[in-house]
Amino acid sequence: MTRMRSIHPLPEIALVVLLAALIGVAWNKTLLTDAWRGETSKAAVIAQPAQAAEAVPMPVGLAQAKELHDSGQAVLVDARSADSFTKEHITGALSLPLAIAGGKKPPLPKNVTPDTIIIAYCNGFSCHDSMELGKFLIKAGYRQVFVFEGGLPEWRDAGYPTAGGAS
């Protein structure tokens, strides 16, 4: 007659957990070593430039752009060409064509500081120059950059003042 041997699962479970822990430590040795030393993992360092590259200016509507411009809280910056700016632009706006803005420091007046609210605009919703200029200004260190997507056409259609040679 055979006698059933009693099975104790506890030692078997402990062995499986111990093996899993050893494999996990071996697999993540570099990450754990960096964490133990208080260093940032290389994966996190690589991810930072991608996050910075995603900084895009927030859009503002016509009413908000007009209010910020009229109160003197914001500077409007025209991203179109110098010829287009000369023909017509929003009264009081600065010209900073996207093609010229590509240097290290944007050629803006000294009173436009990194804390100045800047609203970039161009030829309306189909024009992407203002968004690209806004991204460039953010990369250049300006912290409050917005894009007026309606641009000059929406401004003009609302009857707000423009300047330049066109009429």
Side-chain angles (χ1 to χ4, degrees), residues 63-103:
Q64 195 173 12
K66 175 85 167 111
E67 181 181 331
L68 290 168
H69 178 60
D70 288 352
S71 67
Q73 295 178 31
V75 173
L76 290 174
V77 177
D78 192 325
R80 301 172 308 143
S81 70
D83 287 343
S84 296
F85 182 83
T86 302
K87 288 178 186 171
E88 185 178 24
H89 59 270
I90 295 175
T91 302
L94 301 174
S95 177
L96 183 57
L98 180 60
I100 293 174

PDB file of all heavy atoms in Angstrom, residues 63-103:
ATOM      1  N   ALA A  63     -11.020  88.194 -30.267  1.00  0.00           N
ATOM      2  CA  ALA A  63     -11.360  89.078 -29.147  1.00  0.00           C
ATOM      3  C   ALA A  63     -10.204  89.168 -28.143  1.00  0.00           C
ATOM      4  O   ALA A  63      -9.871  90.255 -27.654  1.00  0.00           O
ATOM      5  CB  ALA A  63     -12.622  88.577 -28.451  1.00  0.00           C
ATOM      6  N   GLN A  64      -9.581  88.045 -27.855  1.00  0.00           N
ATOM      7  CA  GLN A  64      -8.479  88.045 -26.894  1.00  0.00           C
ATOM      8  C   GLN A  64      -7.252  88.767 -27.463  1.00  0.00           C
ATOM      9  O   GLN A  64      -6.595  89.521 -26.755  1.00  0.00           O
ATOM     10  CB  GLN A  64      -8.126  86.605 -26.515  1.00  0.00           C
ATOM     11  CG  GLN A  64      -7.261  86.500 -25.291  1.00  0.00           C
ATOM     12  CD  GLN A  64      -7.071  85.057 -24.852  1.00  0.00           C
ATOM     13  OE1 GLN A  64      -7.403  84.126 -25.563  1.00  0.00           O
ATOM     14  NE2 GLN A  64      -6.535  84.882 -23.671  1.00  0.00           N
ATOM     15  N   ALA A  65      -6.959  88.545 -28.742  1.00  0.00           N
ATOM     16  CA  ALA A  65      -5.830  89.241 -29.372  1.00  0.00           C
ATOM     17  C   ALA A  65      -6.066  90.745 -29.363  1.00  0.00           C
ATOM     18  O   ALA A  65      -5.160  91.520 -29.040  1.00  0.00           O
ATOM     19  CB  ALA A  65      -5.630  88.737 -30.797  1.00  0.00           C
ATOM     20  N   LYS A  66      -7.283  91.162 -29.684  1.00  0.00           N
ATOM     21  CA  LYS A  66      -7.608  92.599 -29.709  1.00  0.00           C
ATOM     22  C   LYS A  66      -7.484  93.200 -28.312  1.00  0.00           C
ATOM     23  O   LYS A  66      -6.899  94.278 -28.136  1.00  0.00           O
ATOM     24  CB  LYS A  66      -9.032  92.776 -30.251  1.00  0.00           C
ATOM     25  CG  LYS A  66      -9.555  94.190 -30.221  1.00  0.00           C
ATOM     26  CD  LYS A  66      -9.134  94.966 -31.426  1.00  0.00           C
ATOM     27  CE  LYS A  66      -9.924  96.270 -31.548  1.00  0.00           C
ATOM     28  NZ  LYS A  66      -9.133  97.436 -31.314  1.00  0.00           N
ATOM     29  N   GLU A  67      -8.013  92.514 -27.309  1.00  0.00           N
ATOM     30  CA  GLU A  67      -7.977  93.019 -25.946  1.00  0.00           C
ATOM     31  C   GLU A  67      -6.535  93.143 -25.435  1.00  0.00           C
ATOM     32  O   GLU A  67      -6.171  94.163 -24.852  1.00  0.00           O
ATOM     33  CB  GLU A  67      -8.780  92.094 -25.021  1.00  0.00           C
ATOM     34  CG  GLU A  67      -8.823  92.564 -23.583  1.00  0.00           C
ATOM     35  CD  GLU A  67      -9.605  91.605 -22.695  1.00  0.00           C
ATOM     36  OE1 GLU A  67     -10.526  90.934 -23.202  1.00  0.00           O
ATOM     37  OE2 GLU A  67      -9.287  91.525 -21.500  1.00  0.00           O
ATOM     38  N   LEU A  68      -5.729  92.116 -25.658  1.00  0.00           N
ATOM     39  CA  LEU A  68      -4.330  92.163 -25.204  1.00  0.00           C
ATOM     40  C   LEU A  68      -3.538  93.234 -25.949  1.00  0.00           C
ATOM     41  O   LEU A  68      -2.694  93.917 -25.368  1.00  0.00           O
ATOM     42  CB  LEU A  68      -3.667  90.790 -25.376  1.00  0.00           C
ATOM     43  CG  LEU A  68      -4.151  89.698 -24.436  1.00  0.00           C
ATOM     44  CD1 LEU A  68      -3.641  88.327 -24.881  1.00  0.00           C
ATOM     45  CD2 LEU A  68      -3.690  89.997 -22.998  1.00  0.00           C
ATOM     46  N   HIS A  69      -3.821  93.405 -27.231  1.00  0.00           N
ATOM     47  CA  HIS A  69      -3.139  94.423 -28.037  1.00  0.00           C
ATOM     48  C   HIS A  69      -3.553  95.823 -27.583  1.00  0.00           C
ATOM     49  O   HIS A  69      -2.705  96.688 -27.357  1.00  0.00           O
ATOM     50  CB  HIS A  69      -3.478  94.206 -29.507  1.00  0.00           C
ATOM     51  CG  HIS A  69      -2.874  95.207 -30.430  1.00  0.00           C
ATOM     52  ND1 HIS A  69      -1.520  95.385 -30.541  1.00  0.00           N
ATOM     53  CD2 HIS A  69      -3.441  96.100 -31.287  1.00  0.00           C
ATOM     54  CE1 HIS A  69      -1.271  96.338 -31.441  1.00  0.00           C
ATOM     55  NE2 HIS A  69      -2.430  96.787 -31.895  1.00  0.00           N
ATOM     56  N   ASP A  70      -4.849  96.050 -27.434  1.00  0.00           N
ATOM     57  CA  ASP A  70      -5.335  97.384 -27.054  1.00  0.00           C
ATOM     58  C   ASP A  70      -4.893  97.789 -25.651  1.00  0.00           C
ATOM     59  O   ASP A  70      -4.658  98.964 -25.394  1.00  0.00           O
ATOM     60  CB  ASP A  70      -6.867  97.439 -27.141  1.00  0.00           C
ATOM     61  CG  ASP A  70      -7.358  97.432 -28.584  1.00  0.00           C
ATOM     62  OD1 ASP A  70      -6.508  97.547 -29.506  1.00  0.00           O
ATOM     63  OD2 ASP A  70      -8.580  97.278 -28.783  1.00  0.00           O
ATOM     64  N   SER A  71      -4.787  96.825 -24.750  1.00  0.00           N
ATOM     65  CA  SER A  71      -4.385  97.154 -23.373  1.00  0.00           C
ATOM     66  C   SER A  71      -2.867  97.292 -23.239  1.00  0.00           C
ATOM     67  O   SER A  71      -2.372  97.649 -22.174  1.00  0.00           O
ATOM     68  CB  SER A  71      -4.895  96.068 -22.418  1.00  0.00           C
ATOM     69  OG  SER A  71      -4.221  94.843 -22.675  1.00  0.00           O
ATOM     70  N   GLY A  72      -2.138  96.997 -24.290  1.00  0.00           N
ATOM     71  CA  GLY A  72      -0.680  97.108 -24.247  1.00  0.00           C
ATOM     72  C   GLY A  72      -0.011  95.948 -23.527  1.00  0.00           C
ATOM     73  O   GLY A  72       1.186  95.998 -23.234  1.00  0.00           O
ATOM     74  N   GLN A  73      -0.764  94.896 -23.255  1.00  0.00           N
ATOM     75  CA  GLN A  73      -0.193  93.736 -22.548  1.00  0.00           C
ATOM     76  C   GLN A  73       0.547  92.796 -23.489  1.00  0.00           C
ATOM     77  O   GLN A  73       1.305  91.957 -23.028  1.00  0.00           O
ATOM     78  CB  GLN A  73      -1.307  92.960 -21.846  1.00  0.00           C
ATOM     79  CG  GLN A  73      -1.993  93.726 -20.753  1.00  0.00           C
ATOM     80  CD  GLN A  73      -3.122  92.903 -20.154  1.00  0.00           C
ATOM     81  OE1 GLN A  73      -3.062  91.684 -20.100  1.00  0.00           O
ATOM     82  NE2 GLN A  73      -4.157  93.583 -19.695  1.00  0.00           N
ATOM     83  N   ALA A  74       0.288  92.916 -24.786  1.00  0.00           N
ATOM     84  CA  ALA A  74       0.907  91.994 -25.739  1.00  0.00           C
ATOM     85  C   ALA A  74       1.500  92.758 -26.919  1.00  0.00           C
ATOM     86  O   ALA A  74       1.061  93.859 -27.245  1.00  0.00           O
ATOM     87  CB  ALA A  74      -0.128  90.988 -26.253  1.00  0.00           C
ATOM     88  N   VAL A  75       2.475  92.136 -27.527  1.00  0.00           N
ATOM     89  CA  VAL A  75       3.072  92.637 -28.758  1.00  0.00           C
ATOM     90  C   VAL A  75       2.645  91.708 -29.870  1.00  0.00           C
ATOM     91  O   VAL A  75       2.821  90.496 -29.770  1.00  0.00           O
ATOM     92  CB  VAL A  75       4.616  92.666 -28.645  1.00  0.00           C
ATOM     93  CG1 VAL A  75       5.250  93.024 -29.975  1.00  0.00           C
ATOM     94  CG2 VAL A  75       5.051  93.623 -27.556  1.00  0.00           C
ATOM     95  N   LEU A  76       2.060  92.286 -30.926  1.00  0.00           N
ATOM     96  CA  LEU A  76       1.693  91.489 -32.095  1.00  0.00           C
ATOM     97  C   LEU A  76       2.884  91.439 -33.034  1.00  0.00           C
ATOM     98  O   LEU A  76       3.521  92.460 -33.304  1.00  0.00           O
ATOM     99  CB  LEU A  76       0.480  92.096 -32.806  1.00  0.00           C
ATOM    100  CG  LEU A  76      -0.842  91.996 -32.052  1.00  0.00           C
ATOM    101  CD1 LEU A  76      -1.935  92.753 -32.789  1.00  0.00           C
ATOM    102  CD2 LEU A  76      -1.248  90.545 -31.892  1.00  0.00           C
ATOM    103  N   VAL A  77       3.197  90.253 -33.515  1.00  0.00           N
ATOM    104  CA  VAL A  77       4.339  90.061 -34.405  1.00  0.00           C
ATOM    105  C   VAL A  77       3.844  89.413 -35.694  1.00  0.00           C
ATOM    106  O   VAL A  77       3.234  88.344 -35.666  1.00  0.00           O
ATOM    107  CB  VAL A  77       5.421  89.185 -33.737  1.00  0.00           C
ATOM    108  CG1 VAL A  77       6.572  88.941 -34.690  1.00  0.00           C
ATOM    109  CG2 VAL A  77       5.926  89.851 -32.462  1.00  0.00           C
ATOM    110  N   ASP A  78       4.117  90.082 -36.801  1.00  0.00           N
ATOM    111  CA  ASP A  78       3.693  89.620 -38.128  1.00  0.00           C
ATOM    112  C   ASP A  78       4.750  88.680 -38.690  1.00  0.00           C
ATOM    113  O   ASP A  78       5.906  89.075 -38.875  1.00  0.00           O
ATOM    114  CB  ASP A  78       3.506  90.835 -39.037  1.00  0.00           C
ATOM    115  CG  ASP A  78       2.798  90.501 -40.332  1.00  0.00           C
ATOM    116  OD1 ASP A  78       3.003  89.388 -40.865  1.00  0.00           O
ATOM    117  OD2 ASP A  78       2.041  91.367 -40.817  1.00  0.00           O
ATOM    118  N   ALA A  79       4.373  87.431 -38.962  1.00  0.00           N
ATOM    119  CA  ALA A  79       5.323  86.424 -39.454  1.00  0.00           C
ATOM    120  C   ALA A  79       5.439  86.423 -40.980  1.00  0.00           C
ATOM    121  O   ALA A  79       6.224  85.671 -41.534  1.00  0.00           O
ATOM    122  CB  ALA A  79       4.899  85.034 -38.979  1.00  0.00           C
ATOM    123  N   ARG A  80       4.671  87.267 -41.663  1.00  0.00           N
ATOM    124  CA  ARG A  80       4.699  87.287 -43.132  1.00  0.00           C
ATOM    125  C   ARG A  80       5.952  87.993 -43.641  1.00  0.00           C
ATOM    126  O   ARG A  80       6.717  88.562 -42.868  1.00  0.00           O
ATOM    127  CB  ARG A  80       3.445  87.990 -43.654  1.00  0.00           C
ATOM    128  CG  ARG A  80       2.144  87.312 -43.187  1.00  0.00           C
ATOM    129  CD  ARG A  80       0.908  88.134 -43.550  1.00  0.00           C
ATOM    130  NE  ARG A  80       1.076  89.506 -43.083  1.00  0.00           N
ATOM    131  CZ  ARG A  80       0.642  90.568 -43.762  1.00  0.00           C
ATOM    132  NH1 ARG A  80       0.014  90.417 -44.908  1.00  0.00           N
ATOM    133  NH2 ARG A  80       0.818  91.790 -43.285  1.00  0.00           N
ATOM    134  N   SER A  81       6.107  88.026 -44.944  1.00  0.00           N
ATOM    135  CA  SER A  81       7.287  88.667 -45.543  1.00  0.00           C
ATOM    136  C   SER A  81       7.265  90.174 -45.288  1.00  0.00           C
ATOM    137  O   SER A  81       6.210  90.761 -44.987  1.00  0.00           O
ATOM    138  CB  SER A  81       7.306  88.403 -47.047  1.00  0.00           C
ATOM    139  OG  SER A  81       6.255  89.123 -47.668  1.00  0.00           O
ATOM    140  N   ALA A  82       8.420  90.808 -45.447  1.00  0.00           N
ATOM    141  CA  ALA A  82       8.523  92.257 -45.250  1.00  0.00           C
ATOM    142  C   ALA A  82       7.659  93.002 -46.266  1.00  0.00           C
ATOM    143  O   ALA A  82       7.039  94.023 -45.928  1.00  0.00           O
ATOM    144  CB  ALA A  82       9.978  92.697 -45.355  1.00  0.00           C
ATOM    145  N   ASP A  83       7.577  92.496 -47.502  1.00  0.00           N
ATOM    146  CA  ASP A  83       6.734  93.132 -48.522  1.00  0.00           C
ATOM    147  C   ASP A  83       5.260  93.081 -48.121  1.00  0.00           C
ATOM    148  O   ASP A  83       4.542  94.072 -48.254  1.00  0.00           O
ATOM    149  CB  ASP A  83       6.918  92.440 -49.872  1.00  0.00           C
ATOM    150  CG  ASP A  83       8.256  92.773 -50.521  1.00  0.00           C
ATOM    151  OD1 ASP A  83       8.889  93.767 -50.101  1.00  0.00           O
ATOM    152  OD2 ASP A  83       8.660  92.032 -51.438  1.00  0.00           O
ATOM    153  N   SER A  84       4.821  91.940 -47.632  1.00  0.00           N
ATOM    154  CA  SER A  84       3.425  91.813 -47.197  1.00  0.00           C
ATOM    155  C   SER A  84       3.144  92.728 -46.016  1.00  0.00           C
ATOM    156  O   SER A  84       2.085  93.360 -45.944  1.00  0.00           O
ATOM    157  CB  SER A  84       3.123  90.363 -46.800  1.00  0.00           C
ATOM    158  OG  SER A  84       3.254  89.516 -47.908  1.00  0.00           O
ATOM    159  N   PHE A  85       4.110  92.827 -45.101  1.00  0.00           N
ATOM    160  CA  PHE A  85       3.955  93.716 -43.948  1.00  0.00           C
ATOM    161  C   PHE A  85       3.834  95.159 -44.407  1.00  0.00           C
ATOM    162  O   PHE A  85       3.004  95.914 -43.900  1.00  0.00           O
ATOM    163  CB  PHE A  85       5.144  93.551 -42.992  1.00  0.00           C
ATOM    164  CG  PHE A  85       5.051  94.391 -41.742  1.00  0.00           C
ATOM    165  CD1 PHE A  85       4.317  93.968 -40.655  1.00  0.00           C
ATOM    166  CD2 PHE A  85       5.706  95.624 -41.658  1.00  0.00           C
ATOM    167  CE1 PHE A  85       4.227  94.738 -39.499  1.00  0.00           C
ATOM    168  CE2 PHE A  85       5.630  96.396 -40.519  1.00  0.00           C
ATOM    169  CZ  PHE A  85       4.890  95.951 -39.434  1.00  0.00           C
ATOM    170  N   THR A  86       4.674  95.556 -45.374  1.00  0.00           N
ATOM    171  CA  THR A  86       4.638  96.925 -45.873  1.00  0.00           C
ATOM    172  C   THR A  86       3.290  97.243 -46.513  1.00  0.00           C
ATOM    173  O   THR A  86       2.756  98.333 -46.333  1.00  0.00           O
ATOM    174  CB  THR A  86       5.777  97.145 -46.896  1.00  0.00           C
ATOM    175  OG1 THR A  86       7.019  96.863 -46.253  1.00  0.00           O
ATOM    176  CG2 THR A  86       5.792  98.571 -47.419  1.00  0.00           C
ATOM    177  N   LYS A  87       2.729  96.280 -47.228  1.00  0.00           N
ATOM    178  CA  LYS A  87       1.439  96.510 -47.892  1.00  0.00           C
ATOM    179  C   LYS A  87       0.309  96.693 -46.881  1.00  0.00           C
ATOM    180  O   LYS A  87      -0.526  97.580 -47.016  1.00  0.00           O
ATOM    181  CB  LYS A  87       1.108  95.348 -48.829  1.00  0.00           C
ATOM    182  CG  LYS A  87       1.976  95.321 -50.067  1.00  0.00           C
ATOM    183  CD  LYS A  87       1.637  94.113 -50.930  1.00  0.00           C
ATOM    184  CE  LYS A  87       2.623  94.040 -52.093  1.00  0.00           C
ATOM    185  NZ  LYS A  87       2.487  92.787 -52.835  1.00  0.00           N
ATOM    186  N   GLU A  88       0.273  95.837 -45.869  1.00  0.00           N
ATOM    187  CA  GLU A  88      -0.768  95.942 -44.848  1.00  0.00           C
ATOM    188  C   GLU A  88      -0.401  95.084 -43.651  1.00  0.00           C
ATOM    189  O   GLU A  88       0.114  93.970 -43.805  1.00  0.00           O
ATOM    190  CB  GLU A  88      -2.121  95.476 -45.387  1.00  0.00           C
ATOM    191  CG  GLU A  88      -3.257  95.684 -44.392  1.00  0.00           C
ATOM    192  CD  GLU A  88      -4.613  95.263 -44.961  1.00  0.00           C
ATOM    193  OE1 GLU A  88      -4.649  94.430 -45.892  1.00  0.00           O
ATOM    194  OE2 GLU A  88      -5.625  95.758 -44.456  1.00  0.00           O
ATOM    195  N   HIS A  89      -0.632  95.627 -42.482  1.00  0.00           N
ATOM    196  CA  HIS A  89      -0.407  94.873 -41.240  1.00  0.00           C
ATOM    197  C   HIS A  89      -1.310  95.431 -40.144  1.00  0.00           C
ATOM    198  O   HIS A  89      -1.899  96.508 -40.302  1.00  0.00           O
ATOM    199  CB  HIS A  89       1.069  94.954 -40.810  1.00  0.00           C
ATOM    200  CG  HIS A  89       1.550  96.358 -40.578  1.00  0.00           C
ATOM    201  ND1 HIS A  89       2.103  97.128 -41.576  1.00  0.00           N
ATOM    202  CD2 HIS A  89       1.548  97.132 -39.476  1.00  0.00           C
ATOM    203  CE1 HIS A  89       2.433  98.309 -41.102  1.00  0.00           C
ATOM    204  NE2 HIS A  89       2.099  98.342 -39.812  1.00  0.00           N
ATOM    205  N   ILE A  90      -1.419  94.706 -39.079  1.00  0.00           N
ATOM    206  CA  ILE A  90      -2.199  95.167 -37.930  1.00  0.00           C
ATOM    207  C   ILE A  90      -1.476  96.365 -37.333  1.00  0.00           C
ATOM    208  O   ILE A  90      -0.255  96.313 -37.106  1.00  0.00           O
ATOM    209  CB  ILE A  90      -2.365  94.044 -36.885  1.00  0.00           C
ATOM    210  CG1 ILE A  90      -3.207  92.910 -37.482  1.00  0.00           C
ATOM    211  CG2 ILE A  90      -2.992  94.579 -35.614  1.00  0.00           C
ATOM    212  CD1 ILE A  90      -3.334  91.682 -36.581  1.00  0.00           C
ATOM    213  N   THR A  91      -2.216  97.427 -37.100  1.00  0.00           N
ATOM    214  CA  THR A  91      -1.624  98.646 -36.571  1.00  0.00           C
ATOM    215  C   THR A  91      -0.885  98.356 -35.254  1.00  0.00           C
ATOM    216  O   THR A  91      -1.437  97.738 -34.347  1.00  0.00           O
ATOM    217  CB  THR A  91      -2.709  99.710 -36.324  1.00  0.00           C
ATOM    218  OG1 THR A  91      -3.379  99.956 -37.554  1.00  0.00           O
ATOM    219  CG2 THR A  91      -2.111 101.002 -35.794  1.00  0.00           C
ATOM    220  N   GLY A  92       0.370  98.793 -35.217  1.00  0.00           N
ATOM    221  CA  GLY A  92       1.192  98.609 -34.015  1.00  0.00           C
ATOM    222  C   GLY A  92       1.968  97.302 -33.986  1.00  0.00           C
ATOM    223  O   GLY A  92       2.747  97.071 -33.065  1.00  0.00           O
ATOM    224  N   ALA A  93       1.774  96.453 -34.987  1.00  0.00           N
ATOM    225  CA  ALA A  93       2.483  95.161 -35.007  1.00  0.00           C
ATOM    226  C   ALA A  93       3.939  95.353 -35.428  1.00  0.00           C
ATOM    227  O   ALA A  93       4.300  96.337 -36.078  1.00  0.00           O
ATOM    228  CB  ALA A  93       1.791  94.205 -35.974  1.00  0.00           C
ATOM    229  N   LEU A  94       4.761  94.399 -35.035  1.00  0.00           N
ATOM    230  CA  LEU A  94       6.164  94.361 -35.442  1.00  0.00           C
ATOM    231  C   LEU A  94       6.305  93.346 -36.575  1.00  0.00           C
ATOM    232  O   LEU A  94       5.591  92.356 -36.610  1.00  0.00           O
ATOM    233  CB  LEU A  94       7.054  93.926 -34.270  1.00  0.00           C
ATOM    234  CG  LEU A  94       7.006  94.794 -33.020  1.00  0.00           C
ATOM    235  CD1 LEU A  94       7.831  94.125 -31.917  1.00  0.00           C
ATOM    236  CD2 LEU A  94       7.553  96.179 -33.316  1.00  0.00           C
ATOM    237  N   SER A  95       7.244  93.605 -37.471  1.00  0.00           N
ATOM    238  CA  SER A  95       7.504  92.668 -38.555  1.00  0.00           C
ATOM    239  C   SER A  95       8.650  91.744 -38.166  1.00  0.00           C
ATOM    240  O   SER A  95       9.736  92.198 -37.807  1.00  0.00           O
ATOM    241  CB  SER A  95       7.874  93.432 -39.833  1.00  0.00           C
ATOM    242  OG  SER A  95       8.200  92.516 -40.853  1.00  0.00           O
ATOM    243  N   LEU A  96       8.392  90.453 -38.204  1.00  0.00           N
ATOM    244  CA  LEU A  96       9.450  89.456 -37.980  1.00  0.00           C
ATOM    245  C   LEU A  96       9.152  88.272 -38.904  1.00  0.00           C
ATOM    246  O   LEU A  96       8.586  87.257 -38.491  1.00  0.00           O
ATOM    247  CB  LEU A  96       9.492  89.002 -36.515  1.00  0.00           C
ATOM    248  CG  LEU A  96      10.608  88.019 -36.159  1.00  0.00           C
ATOM    249  CD1 LEU A  96      11.977  88.580 -36.498  1.00  0.00           C
ATOM    250  CD2 LEU A  96      10.533  87.652 -34.684  1.00  0.00           C
ATOM    251  N   PRO A  97       9.525  88.445 -40.187  1.00  0.00           N
ATOM    252  CA  PRO A  97       9.256  87.344 -41.129  1.00  0.00           C
ATOM    253  C   PRO A  97       9.920  86.053 -40.668  1.00  0.00           C
ATOM    254  O   PRO A  97      11.054  86.074 -40.180  1.00  0.00           O
ATOM    255  CB  PRO A  97       9.869  87.845 -42.435  1.00  0.00           C
ATOM    256  CG  PRO A  97       9.928  89.332 -42.296  1.00  0.00           C
ATOM    257  CD  PRO A  97      10.155  89.580 -40.828  1.00  0.00           C
ATOM    258  N   LEU A  98       9.229  84.972 -40.858  1.00  0.00           N
ATOM    259  CA  LEU A  98       9.742  83.672 -40.426  1.00  0.00           C
ATOM    260  C   LEU A  98      11.115  83.402 -41.034  1.00  0.00           C
ATOM    261  O   LEU A  98      11.995  82.872 -40.368  1.00  0.00           O
ATOM    262  CB  LEU A  98       8.759  82.570 -40.816  1.00  0.00           C
ATOM    263  CG  LEU A  98       9.149  81.156 -40.427  1.00  0.00           C
ATOM    264  CD1 LEU A  98       9.299  81.026 -38.922  1.00  0.00           C
ATOM    265  CD2 LEU A  98       8.126  80.170 -40.947  1.00  0.00           C
ATOM    266  N   ALA A  99      11.324  83.800 -42.292  1.00  0.00           N
ATOM    267  CA  ALA A  99      12.602  83.545 -42.960  1.00  0.00           C
ATOM    268  C   ALA A  99      13.750  84.291 -42.292  1.00  0.00           C
ATOM    269  O   ALA A  99      14.883  83.818 -42.290  1.00  0.00           O
ATOM    270  CB  ALA A  99      12.509  83.954 -44.430  1.00  0.00           C
ATOM    271  N   ILE A 100      13.483  85.429 -41.674  1.00  0.00           N
ATOM    272  CA  ILE A 100      14.535  86.225 -41.030  1.00  0.00           C
ATOM    273  C   ILE A 100      14.732  85.792 -39.584  1.00  0.00           C
ATOM    274  O   ILE A 100      15.821  85.916 -39.032  1.00  0.00           O
ATOM    275  CB  ILE A 100      14.174  87.726 -41.092  1.00  0.00           C
ATOM    276  CG1 ILE A 100      14.211  88.191 -42.552  1.00  0.00           C
ATOM    277  CG2 ILE A 100      15.111  88.569 -40.242  1.00  0.00           C
ATOM    278  CD1 ILE A 100      13.732  89.606 -42.751  1.00  0.00           C
ATOM    279  N   ALA A 101      13.725  85.258 -38.965  1.00  0.00           N
ATOM    280  CA  ALA A 101      13.764  84.934 -37.541  1.00  0.00           C
ATOM    281  C   ALA A 101      14.647  83.740 -37.210  1.00  0.00           C
ATOM    282  O   ALA A 101      14.868  83.449 -36.047  1.00  0.00           O
ATOM    283  CB  ALA A 101      12.357  84.665 -37.030  1.00  0.00           C
ATOM    284  N   GLY A 102      15.195  83.073 -38.192  1.00  0.00           N
ATOM    285  CA  GLY A 102      15.917  81.832 -37.958  1.00  0.00           C
ATOM    286  C   GLY A 102      17.243  81.927 -37.243  1.00  0.00           C
ATOM    287  O   GLY A 102      17.868  80.928 -36.989  1.00  0.00           O
ATOM    288  N   GLY A 103      17.711  83.099 -36.890  1.00  0.00           N
ATOM    289  CA  GLY A 103      18.989  83.236 -36.194  1.00  0.00           C
ATOM    290  C   GLY A 103      18.913  82.763 -34.764  1.00  0.00           C
ATOM    291  O   GLY A 103      17.888  82.274 -34.302  1.00  0.00           O
TER     292      GLY A 103
END
